[in-house]
Amino acid sequence: MRVALFVTCVNDAVFPATGIAVVKLLERLGVTVDFPAAQTCCGQPQYNTGYRRDAEPLVRRTAAAFADHEYVVTPSGSCAAMIRDNYPRIGRLRAREGRGRDLVRAADSLVPRTYELTEFLVDVLGVTDVGAYFPHTVTYHPSCHGVRMLGLGERPRKLLEAVKGLELRELPGAEECCGFGGTFAVKNSDVSAAMGEDKIRSAVSTGADFLCGADNSCLMHLGGMLRRQDAPVRALHLAEILASTEEEPLL
C-alpha cells in the first residue's frame, strides 16, 4: 500500500519529529510513504479568520498535490477537518456565487481519501497494536477537531492502550477545549490562557509523565504553558509514542 503524507505547516516548521515518526510508524507496518513536495498550507488560518476567498487557491493546490494518491494521511485532526468539513463548504459557496464548480470537484475528489492518522491505522489498516513500546505514564487530550468534527472516538485511546509498557491515566475534563483554537488564541489571548491553565492543571493532577495528543497545534499551546511553569509533564504527539519500539525507543 502507498500513501501520501500531508505533514501540515505546524509539523513541518515546528515539530518535524512528528512527521518523521509517522513515516517510521507506517513503514514499520508495511506502508510505502510518499511526500508530495507541492503540498503547502491547507488554508485553515485564512478560512478561520474570515478570508474564505484567500483560502480558495490553497484548496485547489492541496487537491492537485495529492491527486495521484489513494490515501492521504495527516497527523493533524484540525487540518484533516479543514479538508473534510470546510473544503466542500468552500466549493459550494464558490459555485453559488457563480464562480465555477472547480473547487466542488476538487473537494469531492480529496475528501474521501483524506484520513487523520489514527483513523487510517484503525479503519484502513485494521490495527490497534502497532508494536510500540513506551514505558511511561501518559494522559491523553482529545483535541476539539478530532472529537467534534472527525469523530475519532476511542481510536487514539485503543492505540495507546495497546502500547507495551505504557500506563494510560484518565485526564479530568478531557473533552474540554484546551483554549488554543488557532487564531482564537491570538484574538482572545486571556480566555485562551485561562482555558489552557485548566487543561494543564488537570494534566498535572494525573501524575503522568506525558500529556499526549493527536494534534500539535493544541500541544504547542499546552506544552508552552507547561514549560513556562516548569511542570513535571511533557507534551508529546501520539505518533511519536507509536513510533517508539524496544529496538528504537523514543526515550
Side-chain angles (χ1 to χ4, degrees):
M1 180 184 292
R2 183 180 294 272
V3 307
L5 171 62
F6 177 32
V7 73
T8 79
C9 298
V10 169
N11 289 322
D12 186 45
V14 187
F15 299 101
T18 295
I20 293 169
V22 173
V23 174
K24 286 183 177 179
L25 170 62
L26 292 178
E27 288 183 343
R28 191 171 78 227
L29 296 173
V31 177
T32 300
V33 183
D34 293 336
F35 184 83
Q39 63 180 284
T40 57
C41 178
C42 65
Q44 183 177 179
Q46 295 89 332
Y47 183 76
N48 287 351
T49 312
Y51 295 94
R52 171 171 57 89
R53 292 197 179 193
D54 288 336
E56 290 179 357
L58 294 167
V59 175
R60 189 177 297 110
R61 183 181 182 93
T62 301
F66 297 108
D68 297 330
H69 291 85
E70 182 180 4
Y71 299 104
V72 179
V73 180
T74 179
S76 168
S78 64
C79 294
M82 174 65 186
I83 292 174
R84 298 230 306 252
D85 193 70
N86 291 324
Y87 275 19
R89 185 175 291 109
I90 291 170
R92 289 193 301 268
L93 288 171
R94 177 181 171 87
R96 288 174 192 167
E97 293 166 354
R99 295 187 295 118
R101 296 187 59 81
D102 60 321
L103 296 191
V104 172
R105 292 190 291 272
D108 286 345
S109 171
L110 183 59
V111 165
R113 295 183 287 116
T114 301
Y115 291 84
E116 185 271 340
L117 176 63
T118 66
E119 287 181 310
F120 182 76
L121 293 172
V122 176
D123 297 351
V124 179
L125 296 186
V127 298
T128 51
D129 187 344
V130 299
Y133 172 72
F134 194 73
H136 304 279
T137 53
V138 174
T139 189
Y140 171 68
H141 163 63
S143 296
C144 292
H145 285 92
V147 171
R148 295 168 177 83
M149 297 179 76
L150 297 179
L152 296 184
E154 292 296 304
R155 294 176 184 87
R157 290 183 60 88
K158 288 180 180 178
L159 289 160
L160 289 170
E161 288 169 352
V163 174
K164 185 178 179 181
L166 185 148
E167 179 188 339
L168 185 60
R169 297 185 179 177
E170 197 67 32
L171 179 67
E175 293 190 0
E176 294 178 7
C177 179
C178 73
F180 179 63
T183 54
F184 174 85
V186 178
K187 295 178 179 179
N188 303 277
S189 58
D190 289 344
V191 177
S192 173
M195 294 170 73
E197 288 281 355
D198 288 343
K199 182 65 67 171
I200 65 171
R201 190 179 304 114
S202 295
V204 171
S205 76
T206 68
D209 302 315
F210 293 90
L211 172 62
C212 165
D215 205 317
N216 268 331
S217 54
C218 297
L219 294 176
M220 177 174 64
H221 175 59
L222 297 172
M225 299 184 77
L226 287 166
R227 287 192 299 273
R228 284 192 295 275
Q229 294 188 14
D230 198 25
V233 186
R234 174 181 165 187
L236 187 64
H237 195 283
L238 173 78
E240 296 177 59
I241 293 175
L242 298 180
S244 179
T245 63
E246 290 189 79
E247 295 74 23
E248 294 185 63
L250 175 65
L251 299 170

